[in-house]
Amino acid sequence: MTTGLIPGGQPSDPRPTGGLPHQRHEPVGHGALHVDNRSRSSVITARAAASFEPVGRSVASARSFVRDTLQGWGFADIVDDAVVLTSELVTNAVVHAGTTAEVLCLRSEDGVRIEVADRYPEREIPLQAAAVNMGSPDREGGRGLQLCAALAGRWGVEYTPTHKQVWFQLDLPARPVGTRAAGPSLPANLLPLADGRVRVAVVQIDRTGAITSWNEDADHLFGYTAEQVIGKPLTDLAAWPHTPGTGTGIAEALQLSRWEGSYGIRDANGRVTPVYASHLRVRDTGGEPSTVCLLVRDHERAVLQTPVRVPSSDASSAEGQNTDPFEVFIGSPAPDDLDGLLQRTVERARDMLDGDSAFLLLATDDETELEVRASTGLPSARQRFARVPVEAGPGRYGSARMPAVHEDLTMVPGAVPLLNGTGMRSVVTVPLKVEGRLTGSLGVAAEAPGRYSNEEALRLQFAADRIALAVESARLGELERLRRGSLSFLVEASDLLAGTLDRDQTLALMAQMTVPTLATWCAVYTIADQASEPYLSYVLHEDEELIDGIKSLLSKIAPPDPVPTPGARVWSAPAESAHQAALRTSMRSLGLGQPGGRIRTGIGPTLATASAVGGETVVLPLVARNRVIGMLTLGKPTDEHFRQEILELAEDLSRRAALALDNARLYSERTAISQSLQRSLLPPELPEIDGVEVEVIYRAAGEGNEVGGDFYDLFPISDGAYGFAIGDVCGTGPNAAAVTGLARHALRLLAREGLSGPAVLERLNSAILDEGARSRFLTLLYGELRPQEDGSAELKVVCAGHPLPLRLRQDGTVEPAAEPQPLLGVMEDLELYEQTVTLDPGDVLLCVTDGVTERREGSRMLGDDGLTDVLTTCTGLTAGAVAARIMRAVERFASDAPSDDMAILAMRVPGLHKD
């Protein structure tokens, strides 16, 4: 909820600019008798406004806001009706319509007018002369207008292209003559506590500061008779200041038109009696000014204050207790409630100087800018966290470091940037200082020119001096909490970003960490290289339904410039583009510029998007390794600004996110290169061999590895002859894959030279040894396959240190198909020989690497026997089915992921008849 008091005076015409029509709905029938179809001509003496978000708890907040406002105005007798009507209308807006509700309370001489506006004008827009059906009173929604007709003196509905407004007016009951204001009846325990008879000392001081009048109560309180004090300066009796830290003396306070506060009076016995005083500057019939002082004991201050500002329990404190009057004045919020302290300060400052608006700004650490933290009577939602320079112009009146009074802002435009376009004419501003350092600025403004003089500046400065230390203490406490939260946030963000090397996931994490913690919506632009334009890669909003609309809007406007300068910079393009799109949509929805003036639907999403991106938007560069790789864009909804602490936190996050995003890019590039190189080490598609079924299953150990130390190959040698190989290089990973590539390519070249199997392996052995320190030993099963005309297949096999191939016959028997020989890459001189194996129809030859046979589960190992047992169950299966069954058995043997590469090569000669 955002609240703020709006300056008094005539309310502005709610009609939109630009020639758009203004629709006004007045109920017909019986209810029409209560509708005010005249313009608002009453003089507005005070007004208060608040905005409520579209959530259920806002209804209760709206009720409290209206109740507090009317009780503060002394209108307790119409509070209940106003609260009931407001509750129904706000419920319609925030619950049923799902939009922000804006509540405006207007006080005039004859009553109170309350307006509730929402941003859903397309709901039931009335046509001219159309009957109005206000719905059944038993329905959950829609009772607001019926209650207005029943309870309000006048009411109505007004429409604009972007808002719908329901208003009602409650007339004040007649009061006895002489009654100006009355508070509600209070229980006895809440009434001010007085110590016996309440004595009010009435002291009058002339223009020179001398006492001219001294009543009987003053004599009783302080022990002086009138003859003893008349003619003496009051400063001789006053112990000023009573509370340390006051920057204004009694002589200055007596010159102010009105003043309230605490100080001490030295009685006849020389003791200081703490008093609470109310000073009023008057003028006699001869035009001579004087000051009337009403004084009570300090603990009886509630007697002079309206309404009661302290609980009765506090008022019963012992005589002489010292209480800061300004803390009581602002309501004594909790020490850690900075926002409450600031908001109450501006409200009381406005009331103290009878202004139309007030504002309080806090200085940044370097004292170069002021940040709006609280305001009343101004569009607070738009101004909150907005920043203005400390030195706005030359001279004393252009700096926030000195008190300043502007009698007419139209004569010095831009002197107070915060008030530009608000209608304020006169303003008084004073600095908040702690130990000589500027910590903020407090100001009160009015719509009328010439409202303030140096006397009001002195009074406001007195208040600012009393509250400056409390404000600074609360600000430092809030800043410390923010910093602790920021550190925790950054630590968590760093952990999350370090936990992934996936580019898309990194982009999603960046957005999810900023929304809604730092911003309402976020967009991430990425830049592929120096010559590329920024590309919109990710968009996120706290309301998922608005993401597509924002993405569409951003895709139609030029991306922000990739400036490497650190820090956040404002980007106005999204808000301007959204505003123009919303305006065009609003005009189309009203039939402007379309044939026949037809009213179109579809205004909702465009207006929602415009509201979502209508606030402040900032861009932070993503810089990694001295290069801009993207931009992080953060945005607020309509009329909202970022606070400086949030921007600093976002800047820290952007640096971490940029490095994580660049690491993900580098990892993706290197992974792509690695996979491309690894795929080049794998053989191309296996050839089809007439009369022989062939199936291969290959699994490389290690994440991201496609090729390891195990390899296979099957390739044509000459007409009708094919070479096949399955091998295992010592080790896994890239180093083993390098020898794998050497072995596979060398086998093909040597085999096609017409060399026999042993000669091929002997020359390959020499090539491996030539690698020197990079050489690794290699186990290899190499053979040549020739299908025969009788349906069988002849194989010539050399098994160099490799697990022996197994032959499965049709009767289910399994036997080794070769004898073991020395492995490669160890000795220079090898004596190898080849063996001939004939596969009859239905036979299967199974070749595996040791990753299959050495599969372990604890102390158990699959081994040659386990592999043989599985193979015996594969009789009658195709080569593909055999390989799949072997692999399934290996995977089920142990629950852990394989730690070694695995390759399975199955060759089967089909039977003469269909299996």
Side-chain angles (χ1 to χ4, degrees):
M1 181 189 77
T2 56
T3 63
L5 296 189
I6 300 176
Q10 286 292 344
S12 59
D13 193 344
R15 301 176 186 176
T17 58
L20 296 179
H22 173 70
Q23 297 187 0
R24 185 184 182 94
H25 171 215
E26 298 175 358
V28 296
H30 177 71
L33 298 176
H34 303 285
V35 178
D36 183 12
N37 53 15
R38 300 168 299 171
S39 62
R40 295 180 235 162
S41 58
S42 300
V43 175
I44 304 302
T45 59
R47 56 179 73 181
S51 297
F52 301 93
E53 298 298 322
V55 292
R57 63 177 181 273
S58 293
V59 179
S61 300
R63 289 196 294 265
S64 299
F65 165 70
V66 171
R67 184 181 301 277
D68 293 344
T69 299
L70 298 191
Q71 286 182 344
W73 289 345
F75 297 156
D77 31 18
I78 62 173
V79 164
D80 291 339
D81 288 348
V83 168
V84 169
L85 294 178
T86 303
S87 179
E88 286 294 328
L89 298 179
V90 172
T91 299
N92 290 340
V94 304
V95 176
H96 300 300
T99 74
T100 299
E102 298 173 358
V103 180
L104 174 63
C105 302
L106 302 173
R107 182 182 70 185
S108 61
E109 297 92 337
D110 54 353
V112 173
R113 174 185 174 114
I114 298 179
E115 302 174 354
V116 179
D118 61 46
R119 301 186 180 186
Y120 202 55
E122 63 272 27
R123 295 181 73 246
E124 302 178 1
I125 295 181
L127 301 178
Q128 294 292 334
V132 177
N133 179 12
M134 291 187 290
S136 168
D138 298 326
R139 195 175 61 177
E140 178 182 356
R143 297 191 296 258
L145 298 184
Q146 290 182 328
L147 288 174
C148 287
L151 301 178
R154 293 186 293 275
W155 65 280
V157 184
E158 299 177 0
Y159 291 91
T160 72
T162 57
H163 287 75
K164 180 185 69 179
Q165 176 179 284
V166 181
W167 62 270
F168 61 88
Q169 181 162 331
L170 299 174
D171 296 329
L172 297 177
R175 290 177 174 171
V177 176
T179 299
R180 180 179 179 271
S185 299
L186 294 176
N189 61 340
L190 295 182
L191 295 175
L193 183 62
D195 207 4
R197 175 190 168 187
V198 177
R199 296 187 180 274
V200 181
V202 181
V203 182
Q204 191 161 0
I205 295 95
D206 62 18
R207 66 188 308 167
T208 66
I211 299 173
T212 60
S213 176
W214 186 268
N215 72 342
E216 181 181 349
D217 280 356
D219 186 350
H220 185 276
L221 287 174
F222 309 119
Y224 298 107
T225 63
E227 292 77 10
Q228 290 177 294
V229 295
I230 289 179
K232 293 183 178 181
L234 181 63
T235 54
D236 291 350
L237 305 178
W240 187 280
H242 174 53
T243 303
T246 305
T248 303
I250 189 171
E252 292 86 353
L254 292 174
Q255 299 300 316
L256 298 175
S257 61
R258 185 184 298 275
W259 184 88
E260 288 186 26
S262 294
Y263 53 89
I265 295 292
R266 197 176 306 278
D267 62 19
N269 296 322
R271 293 177 302 179
V272 174
T273 301
V275 297
Y276 186 81
S278 175
H279 296 179
L280 177 65
R281 190 76 163 157
V282 298
R283 187 175 54 174
D284 62 19
T285 56
E288 287 295 318
S290 63
T291 301
V292 177
C293 305
L294 305 179
L295 301 96
V296 296
R297 293 185 181 92
D298 190 61
H299 67 276
E300 292 179 339
R301 66 180 61 193
V303 175
L304 297 183
Q305 292 180 335
T306 303
V308 179
R309 293 186 174 97
V310 293
S312 58
S313 59
D314 294 342
S316 62
S317 58
E319 184 175 347
Q321 181 178 352
N322 185 13
T323 303
D324 190 330
F326 199 72
E327 288 187 3
V328 177
F329 180 63
I330 63 173
S332 298
D336 59 347
D337 183 13
L338 178 61
D339 289 336
L341 175 64
L342 300 183
Q343 191 60 39
R344 295 186 190 186
T345 298
V346 296
E347 292 172 0
R348 302 309 187 192
R350 175 208 60 204
D351 295 341
M352 183 173 66
L353 297 187
D354 194 24
D356 296 317
S357 65
F359 51 88
L360 194 150
L361 303 88
L362 295 184
T364 56
D365 291 339
D366 58 2
E367 298 183 24
T368 59
E369 286 187 314
L370 293 167
E371 189 175 63
V372 180
R373 293 300 302 269
S375 65
T376 179
L378 298 173
S380 57
R382 182 187 68 198
Q383 302 289 358
R384 186 165 168 81
F385 299 123
R387 289 170 294 279
V388 297
V390 170
E391 307 291 343
R396 176 173 180 269
Y397 294 104
S399 172
R401 302 182 187 276
M402 299 289 291
V405 176
H406 294 279
E407 296 183 353
D408 193 347
L409 288 176
T410 60
M411 306 301 293
V412 280
V416 184
L418 182 63
L419 300 180
N420 291 344
T422 61
M424 298 296 134
R425 295 284 297 276
S426 56
V427 62
V428 52
T429 63
V430 296
L432 297 175
K433 292 185 177 182
V434 175
E435 297 179 351
R437 182 174 60 87
L438 179 69
T439 61
S441 178
L442 177 64
V444 178
E447 288 184 326
R451 285 279 297 275
Y452 303 115
S453 64
N454 288 340
E455 293 182 354
E456 283 76 16
L458 184 63
R459 189 179 178 197
L460 188 62
Q461 184 67 69
F462 170 76
D465 291 341
R466 303 300 293 272
I467 198 61
L469 186 59
V471 169
E472 181 65 4
S473 177
R475 187 188 74 86
L476 292 176
E478 180 193 66
L479 187 59
E480 180 62 24
R481 289 190 297 273
L482 284 174
R483 286 175 177 170
R484 287 199 300 267
S486 299
L487 289 175
S488 176
F489 173 78
L490 290 174
V491 168
E492 182 179 357
S494 299
D495 289 343
L496 290 173
L497 291 171
T500 179
L501 287 173
D502 181 81
R503 176 182 176 275
D504 294 337
Q505 189 174 358
T506 301
L507 290 172
L509 283 174
M510 290 169 57
Q512 291 166 5
M513 284 186 293
T514 58
V515 176
T517 305
L518 305 182
T520 306
W521 64 272
C522 167
V524 182
Y525 291 84
T526 56
I527 302 174
D529 52 60
Q530 299 288 357
S532 301
E533 291 293 325
Y535 173 75
L536 182 61
S537 298
Y538 202 91
V539 175
L540 183 65
H541 191 281
E542 61 183 7
D543 184 354
E544 294 183 358
E545 295 182 357
L546 298 177
I547 294 177
D548 291 339
I550 297 176
K551 188 181 298 183
S552 175
L553 175 70
L554 294 178
S555 63
K556 295 176 182 177
I557 62 179
D561 295 331
V563 179
T565 306
R569 68 182 192 276
V570 177
W571 185 32
S572 60
E576 294 174 355
S577 178
H579 174 75
Q580 294 299 325
L583 181 60
R584 291 192 298 268
T585 304
S586 299
M587 295 178 68
R588 288 196 302 268
S589 69
L590 296 172
L592 298 180
Q594 294 186 10
R598 295 188 302 273
I599 296 179
R600 284 183 147 184
T601 59
I603 187 175
T606 301
L607 292 179
T609 302
S611 176
V613 302
E616 188 175 52
T617 301
V618 297
V619 178
L620 297 106
L622 298 174
V623 181
R625 297 176 176 89
N626 299 321
R627 187 174 73 87
V628 180
I629 63 171
M631 284 89 70
L632 178 64
T633 303
L634 306 179
K636 287 283 190 180
T638 299
D639 297 338
E640 288 195 21
H641 296 265
F642 287 97
R643 59 184 307 173
Q644 188 62 34
E645 292 84 355
I646 295 297
L647 293 180
E648 293 173 357
L649 181 58
E651 186 177 356
D652 286 339
L653 176 64
S654 69
R655 287 194 291 266
R656 289 165 169 80
L659 187 59
L661 183 61
D662 200 45
N663 288 340
R665 177 188 62 83
L666 292 175
Y667 177 78
S668 298
E669 292 177 356
R670 293 180 181 181
T671 299
I673 294 172
S674 174
Q675 290 175 347
S676 177
L677 291 175
Q678 290 185 65
R679 281 192 290 268
S680 69
L681 300 178
L682 294 174
E685 294 183 0
L686 298 178
E688 293 185 1
I689 304 175
D690 293 337
V692 179
E693 299 174 358
V694 180
E695 182 66 25
V696 173
I697 296 179
Y698 183 81
R699 297 285 190 273
E703 183 180 359
N705 291 332
E706 296 189 24
V707 177
D710 291 6
F711 69 96
Y712 68 92
D713 203 356
L714 179 65
F715 54 91
I717 299 176
S718 59
D719 293 340
Y722 295 86
F724 67 91
I726 183 169
D728 184 2
V729 177
C730 174
T732 60
N735 293 331
V739 180
T740 295
L742 170 66
R744 192 177 68 80
H745 290 292
L747 280 176
R748 288 196 172 211
L749 291 173
L750 295 172
R752 288 171 177 172
E753 290 294 325
L755 300 175
S756 64
V760 169
L761 268 59
E762 289 170 0
R763 297 195 179 188
L764 176 59
N765 180 64
S766 299
I768 294 174
L769 293 174
D770 290 342
E771 291 292 308
R774 295 183 299 176
S775 66
R776 290 170 176 261
F777 64 81
L778 167 67
T779 68
L780 180 64
L781 172 66
Y782 174 75
E784 295 181 0
L785 169 66
R786 291 180 181 273
Q788 304 297 312
E789 294 181 356
D790 60 358
S792 64
E794 182 184 82
L795 288 76
K796 293 182 179 181
V797 182
V798 180
C799 186
H802 198 77
L804 299 179
L806 299 178
R807 177 180 180 180
L808 172 65
R809 295 184 181 273
Q810 279 190 321
D811 58 5
T813 60
V814 176
E815 60 184 7
E819 297 177 354
Q821 301 183 59
L823 51 77
L824 308 181
V826 178
M827 299 179 295
E828 293 184 359
D829 297 328
L830 293 178
E831 294 183 1
L832 302 175
Y833 58 91
E834 63 184 6
Q835 297 173 276
T836 302
V837 179
T838 301
L839 294 181
D840 297 327
D843 289 353
V844 175
L845 183 69
L846 177 67
C847 309
V848 300
T849 58
D850 60 5
V852 174
T853 56
E854 294 179 1
R855 177 72 163 153
R856 293 181 179 275
E857 174 68 20
S859 60
R860 298 187 307 118
M861 186 172 70
L862 180 64
D864 296 334
D865 293 339
L867 180 62
T868 300
D869 292 341
V870 177
L871 186 58
T872 57
T873 65
C874 298
T875 304
L877 299 181
T878 63
V882 171
R885 179 169 292 187
I886 297 298
M887 178 56 70
R888 188 162 56 249
V890 172
E891 291 174 343
R892 291 178 177 176
F893 187 80
S895 58
D896 295 337
S899 59
D900 196 4
D901 304 327
M902 292 187 293
I904 299 173
L905 172 62
M907 293 182 289
R908 177 177 180 268
V909 178
L912 298 177
H913 302 285
K914 184 177 180 181
D915 294 326

